Amino acid sequence: MASFSPSLPSAPVASAAVGPAPLPHFDAPAPRPCADSGRTAQQGREPAYLTHYRTHGFAVVRGVFRPEEVRKLSHACDRVHAKAKAHGKSFRHQNVFFRLKEDPALGPVVRFAQWPAYYEQVLDRFRKDPRLLEILRPLLGQDLKQIINQINWKRPGASQVEFGYHQDIYFRRPRAAYRNTHSCYIQTAIAVDPHTKANGAMKLYPGSHRMGALDISRGNRVMDRSASDEDLRRLGLDPSKLVDLVLDPGDVAFWNLYTIHGSGRNTTDGDRRVYLNGYARAEDCDRGEWTFRDGKPCDLGEPVLVHYEDLYTRPGPHYVDD
């Protein structure tokens, strides 16, 4: 894994022991399809979670990661948060990016951190965990690149933690670098905390993955907008069809590049954190970090081109104007 040391003060991480990468444990506990995905598929037929994904554009596999694993993930998220918060403003070093927003009541609030897996070993293990590959293999195969590695936070009481309704295809730029976009890319989300309607769980629009690319955001930044039903009505969509993505810690949700989704504010007393990892079939993607080759996990080396267009011309640590 590439050596990366952000230029900032931070709490030491030596106290967080990192053991060998966990092996798949479908039997302890066994992942199960989400409650609304229908009956479990009969033996020899496609698993119910895959049928649900193909039909609705998203699905959930529950209990993928055990409680003790989620605790390690939670501590890793806390360490990343401390590094990001210490800057007080948005900061970049190569592909690692901390996005902060100034909140009128709370001061600098960390919205997300991109590619913390370059320097945080626990997060690196999770992004290439064989259990994620087993979930995605029927859809993407076993040669995968990664183009999203991100932690999102929803801090209680913060005024700007919503994500307006959008499709992830909007962020796949340049578009020529991604082929067969309806089938080559899947976004995954590991729940670090419980996700409920009260703390801003994601809302998805079933079947929207079949609608093609839609002008939902009208050019406005997703993280600067609220999840407004009016944006859906403007496109002739019925907001009552939205589904709340309710998750327990350790559950894995995943959705299509074209599935409409967004999320609201956190009205509870605790954080709502999610660890996002987006994967693409390698042959259909010119960018991204190799994550699995022939089904085997890949270590991170020197950062390669993903989103940050100035990676090779301005790689050094610097602050970013909002």
Side-chain angles (χ1 to χ4, degrees):
M1 184 170 61
S3 174
F4 179 87
S5 180
S7 304
L8 70 164
S10 63
V13 300
S15 60
V18 178
L23 297 175
H25 284 279
F26 281 103
D27 57 342
R32 56 191 186 278
C34 60
D36 62 347
S37 64
R39 300 173 60 186
T40 302
Q42 297 178 9
Q43 187 173 3
R45 296 188 179 181
E46 182 173 78
Y49 77 88
L50 291 176
T51 302
H52 191 275
Y53 171 79
R54 297 186 198 280
T55 303
H56 300 290
F58 64 92
V60 176
V61 182
R62 302 202 182 274
V64 176
F65 295 100
R66 302 182 299 276
E68 61 269 25
E69 295 176 300
V70 177
R71 283 192 291 271
K72 291 181 180 180
L73 178 58
S74 175
H75 295 326
C77 291
D78 288 343
R79 293 192 292 272
V80 173
H81 188 276
K83 288 181 182 291
K85 185 68 179 292
H87 282 292
K89 60 188 299 187
S90 296
F91 170 86
R92 177 179 289 282
H93 184 181
Q94 298 174 329
N95 284 334
V96 176
F97 178 49
F98 303 141
R99 169 65 76 183
L100 281 73
K101 294 285 288 185
E102 186 70 24
D103 187 271
L106 303 176
V109 171
V110 181
R111 292 294 306 272
F112 60 78
Q114 291 181 339
W115 287 101
Y118 279 115
Y119 68 90
E120 174 55 65
Q121 292 181 342
V122 172
L123 297 176
D124 181 58
R125 285 216 315 267
F126 272 84
R127 76 172 186 92
K128 58 187 181 184
D129 190 284
R131 285 165 288 188
L132 293 179
L133 177 61
E134 290 309 304
I135 292 171
L136 301 178
R137 192 195 304 264
L139 298 167
L140 298 180
Q142 58 184 10
D143 291 310
L144 305 184
K145 289 182 178 179
Q146 188 168 355
I147 55 177
I148 297 290
N149 177 253
Q150 182 168 311
I151 306 169
N152 287 357
W153 285 268
K154 282 186 182 287
R155 184 174 177 185
S159 61
Q160 291 184 320
V161 293
E162 294 187 67
F163 287 86
Y165 290 117
H166 64 281
Q167 298 167 303
D168 289 336
I169 184 64
Y170 177 79
F171 303 106
R172 301 288 75 80
R173 301 173 182 170
R175 194 65 58 84
Y178 304 93
R179 294 171 294 280
N180 299 316
T181 53
H182 280 89
S183 61
C184 80
Y185 173 89
I186 291 176
Q187 179 82 296
T188 73
I190 304 172
V192 183
D193 304 299
H195 286 222
T196 67
K197 186 174 182 179
N199 70 8
M202 196 164 68
K203 296 177 180 290
L204 304 103
Y205 199 94
S208 55
H209 62 306
R210 299 194 189 95
M211 298 178 182
L214 303 172
D215 183 21
I216 303 175
S217 65
R218 290 175 289 176
N220 298 317
R221 290 204 311 180
V222 169
M223 63 176 292
D224 292 337
R225 297 166 42 243
S226 63
S228 170
D229 289 351
E230 186 55 36
D231 286 341
L232 299 177
R233 294 191 184 98
R234 186 176 55 84
L235 296 173
L237 303 178
D238 181 1
S240 68
K241 294 183 178 180
L242 288 165
V243 174
D244 292 307
L245 190 66
V246 176
L247 303 172
D248 291 324
D251 290 350
V252 173
F254 61 100
W255 58 93
N256 187 274
L257 193 64
Y258 289 85
T259 302
I260 296 172
H261 59 287
S263 62
R265 297 181 63 179
N266 182 355
T267 61
T268 69
D269 295 329
D271 276 337
R272 196 227 71 177
R273 297 166 295 174
V274 62
Y275 186 32
L276 302 173
N277 291 282
Y279 303 94
R281 188 183 301 120
E283 65 185 28
D284 288 322
C285 182
D286 295 334
R287 295 193 174 200
E289 293 281 6
W290 275 95
T291 309
F292 296 100
R293 285 181 185 266
D294 196 26
K296 296 179 176 59
C298 301
D299 293 333
L300 288 167
E302 287 299 313
V304 302
L305 190 61
V306 187
H307 304 295
Y308 180 44
E309 298 294 340
D310 295 328
L311 175 65
Y312 302 121
T313 59
R314 195 185 182 190
H318 60 277
Y319 288 101
V320 178
D321 293 332
D322 193 12

